[in-house]
């Protein structure tokens, strides 16, 4: 029963996080930040812009991790699961970019897809090394103890 609850928790967490990404990309207006550009110093405004760009890396890397946790709740991690989790996260990034074609002030961006891909690859690299090679790392131990 506890195992089923864990699996359900990770599945709901992943779907909830995907919903958060969808809603955030539906309502975020990057042009609205231009209003603040005159009242903020250039360095602060650039820092905010860089943070928003960095968010793509983190956002889809975290989505990859959530999907991977669903797989891990069923047992030991396999290479096909890593690849599948990455492909699902990337496919969701593509769907989100297509969705933004229909959102005012948003658009499809190959650059955003590239950032999404980089985030997924970085998280894959961290998880892969921690799970398979650095077995004494905190992350590696935590990932192996998901089930």
């Amino acid at each position: 029963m506890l195992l089923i609850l864990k699996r359900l928790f990770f599945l709901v967490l992943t779907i909830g996080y995907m919903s958060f990404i969808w809603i955030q990309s539906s309502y975020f207006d990057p042009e609205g930040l231009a209003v603040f550009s005159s009242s903020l110093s250039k360095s602060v405004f650039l820092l905010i812009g860089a943070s928003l760009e960095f968010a793509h890396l983190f956002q889809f890397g975290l989505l990859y991790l959530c999907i991977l946790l669903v797989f891990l709740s069923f047992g030991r991690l396999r290479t096909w699961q890593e690849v599948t989790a990455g492909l699902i996260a990337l496919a969701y990034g593509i769907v989100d970019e297509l969705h933004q074609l229909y959102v005012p002030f948003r658009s499809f961006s190959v650059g955003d897809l590239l950032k999404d891909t980089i985030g997924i690859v970085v998280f894959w690299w961290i998880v892969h090394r921690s799970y398979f090679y650095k077995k004494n790392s905190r992350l590696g131990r935590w990932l192996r103890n998901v089930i």
Side-chain angles (χ1 to χ4, degrees):
M1 182 66 167
L2 182 61
L3 188 58
I4 292 171
L5 288 176
K6 273 187 174 182
R7 289 175 182 162
L8 186 60
F9 171 77
F10 287 127
L11 184 61
V12 169
L13 176 73
T14 302
I15 293 169
Y17 186 64
M18 292 170 89
S19 300
F20 167 76
I21 291 171
W22 188 270
I23 291 167
Q24 175 269 327
S25 71
S26 297
Y27 292 104
F28 178 71
D29 176 10
E31 299 297 321
L33 292 176
V35 174
F36 297 107
S37 65
S38 61
S39 62
L40 296 173
S41 71
K42 270 190 177 181
S43 59
V44 170
F45 193 69
L46 287 173
L47 183 63
I48 291 170
S51 298
L52 291 173
E53 294 303 319
F54 181 72
H56 269 277
L57 300 172
F58 185 75
Q59 195 172 39
F60 283 86
L62 192 57
L63 177 58
Y64 164 78
L65 182 61
C66 287
I67 295 166
L68 204 64
L69 289 173
V70 173
F71 284 129
L72 279 169
S73 70
F74 285 90
R76 202 171 137 241
L77 183 61
R78 308 271 189 226
T79 302
W80 71 268
Q81 293 168 320
E82 291 179 294
V83 171
T84 303
L87 290 175
I88 291 170
L90 183 58
Y92 191 72
I94 293 168
V95 168
D96 187 48
E97 288 299 321
L98 290 171
H99 150 254
Q100 290 177 29
L101 285 171
Y102 303 99
V103 176
F105 308 108
R106 301 302 303 263
S107 63
F108 183 94
S109 170
V110 174
D112 285 351
L113 280 177
L114 182 60
K115 288 179 273 188
D116 298 346
T117 304
I118 291 168
I120 292 165
V121 169
V122 167
F123 270 66
W124 166 83
W125 184 77
I126 291 169
V127 167
H128 186 81
R129 285 187 47 90
S130 298
Y131 189 87
F132 290 109
Y133 299 110
K134 296 196 174 220
K135 297 187 180 203
N136 291 327
S137 71
R138 285 185 190 177
L139 178 60
R141 285 192 311 264
W142 183 78
L143 289 169
R144 282 188 296 286
N145 290 325
V146 165
I147 56 168

